[in-house]
Amino acid sequence: MQYRKFGHTQWDISEIGFGGWQIGGGGAFGQVDDRHSVKTLLTAWDRGINLVDTAQMYGKGHSEEVIGKALKEWHHNHIYIASKVQPVQWPHPNETDPAMTGRYPKAHIRKQCEDSLTRLGVDTIDLYQLHGWFPMGLEDLEWHEALTELQKEGKIREFGVSIRDYRPEDGIALAEAGLIQAEQVVYNIFEQRPAEELLPICKKNGVAVLARVPFDEGSLIGSWVPETYETFAPGDVRRTYFKGERFLRTLEKVDAIKRMIREYDATMTLAEVALRFCLSDEAVSCVIPGMRNVEEVEANLKVSDGQPLPTELLQQLKVFNWPRNYHNPDTLVDPL
C-alpha cells in the first residue's frame, strides 16, 4: 500500500480508502450483510487501508454503526474516520447557486456530529465534512463557526466539504479561502473536469482531495451487460442514476474504453485503469471506492503500487469526459 500526505496535516493516508456508502444497507446498493461488511473492513485495514469515508445519511447512520462494530474488533494502527453532516434541507439538483443560510445551523451540526460519534463509538472524528457544499457558504460562515467550535472541543480533528454532485467549480474559491482542510469531489474517467482547475488549486493551497465515485457507481468496473439494469431493485440509487437512455449510453462508452485499453495494453482491466486514473493526479490524496467483500478489497489493493497511468494512455482517456448530473439524469450538463 502506498501512502500520501493529507493536505497540511501530518497524516499518512493510504491512497486507496474505503467508501462506506454501500455498507449502509437500506437497499441503496442492494442487500448487505453486516457480518460480511465488518469482515471486509477488517481485511481492508489489515491490508493497509487506513481511511474510511462514511456519512450520517448512509443507511440513516447504519454505515457508521457497522464501522463502529469493526473498530471495536480492531486493536492495531489508527484508522482515520471521515464522516459527513447533511444539510437540514437539500436544494433541488438543478438549482445552481442555492442559499447557504439555514442549511447548516450550529445546533444541527453539533447534534449530528455527536450522534455520529456515538454510532462510531469514538471520541473524535478525524475529518468531518459538510455533505453538500454551496458556494454562498463563503458569505454565511455559521457552518465554519460550528465546525471550529467542535474542533476546539476535540470532537473533530479537521473539517472539509463534499462538493455537490457534478459541480467541481463550486470548490475552487473555497480551496483558495483557507477555511478547510479537505474537499471531496466526483472524479473519474467520465468526470475529468476537476483536473482542469480544482485539483491544481487544491494542491497549490494544501487542501487534501478525496476522489469519490471512481467507478461511476459501478459502470467503470466493466462487468455490466444490458440486462444488468433490471437487477437494480426499486430504491437502488443506480436505478435512478442510469435511468432512461443513460444506462445503454453508458455501456456503449464503457465498451469503447475497454476496446481502447485492449489495443493499448491487453493485460490491463478497465477497473484497474479507472482507479489508476484517479491516482495518477498527485493532487488526489485518497480515492474512496466502495467495497462490499474481501475480493473487491484485494482487487483494488493491487492498484496501489506507485505506478501511475502512462501519459499516452491518460491522453487517450480525455475523449471520454462525459459530465452528467448525478442526481437528476434528465438534466444535461455542458463541459466547462
Side-chain angles (χ1 to χ4, degrees), residues 6 11 13-25 29 37 40-41 44-45 49-59 61-68 70-71 78-86 90 116 120 125-132 158-163 181-186 208-214 217 285-292:
F6 197 78
W11 304 353
I13 298 296
S14 55
E15 63 180 15
I16 296 177
F18 192 111
W21 191 3
Q22 284 87 338
I23 63 173
F29 288 90
S37 296
T40 303
L41 284 162
W45 300 341
I49 288 176
N50 69 354
L51 180 140
V52 180
D53 179 78
T54 183
Q56 169 264 327
M57 69 174 292
Y58 294 165
H62 190 64
S63 174
E64 292 178 324
E65 292 173 344
V66 172
I67 292 167
L71 287 172
H78 180 70
I79 303 300
Y80 292 87
I81 303 298
S83 195
K84 312 183 197 73
V85 51
Q86 66 179 351
W90 289 94
S116 289
L120 289 162
I125 294 172
D126 296 292
L127 178 67
Y128 202 49
Q129 306 155 94
L130 301 186
H131 207 148
E158 303 290 352
F159 55 83
V161 305
S162 182
I163 303 299
Q181 190 60 247
E183 293 195 15
Q184 183 175 145
V185 66
V186 174
V209 173
L210 292 170
R212 74 175 188 269
V213 202
E217 305 299 4
S285 309
C286 181
V287 60
I288 47 174
M291 292 177 259
R292 290 165 55 99

Side-chain angles (χ1 to χ4, degrees), residues 66-117:
V66 172
I67 292 167
K69 292 178 181 177
L71 287 172
K72 289 180 180 178
E73 298 185 29
W74 182 254
H75 306 291
H76 305 285
N77 59 294
H78 180 70
I79 303 300
Y80 292 87
I81 303 298
S83 195
K84 312 183 197 73
V85 51
Q86 66 179 351
V88 171
Q89 182 178 14
W90 289 94
H92 189 278
N94 292 353
E95 193 172 351
T96 57
D97 195 16
M100 186 69 158
T101 302
R103 302 283 182 190
Y104 294 103
K106 281 188 178 181
H108 171 72
I109 290 179
R110 176 172 293 276
K111 176 66 164 56
Q112 295 301 326
C113 179
E114 291 175 347
D115 288 350
S116 289
L117 287 167

Side-chain angles (χ1 to χ4, degrees), residues 230-248:
E230 294 306 321
T231 67
F232 301 148
D236 190 314
V237 298
R238 294 167 294 185
R239 199 167 180 86
T240 298
Y241 286 176
F242 297 101
K243 74 175 184 179
E245 297 180 358
R246 184 184 287 184
F247 188 79
L248 292 180

Side-chain angles (χ1 to χ4, degrees), residues 264-280:
Y264 183 84
D265 184 344
T267 67
M268 301 178 75
T269 67
L270 175 58
E272 174 189 352
V273 171
L275 276 188
R276 288 193 191 278
F277 171 83
C278 298
L279 294 173
S280 293

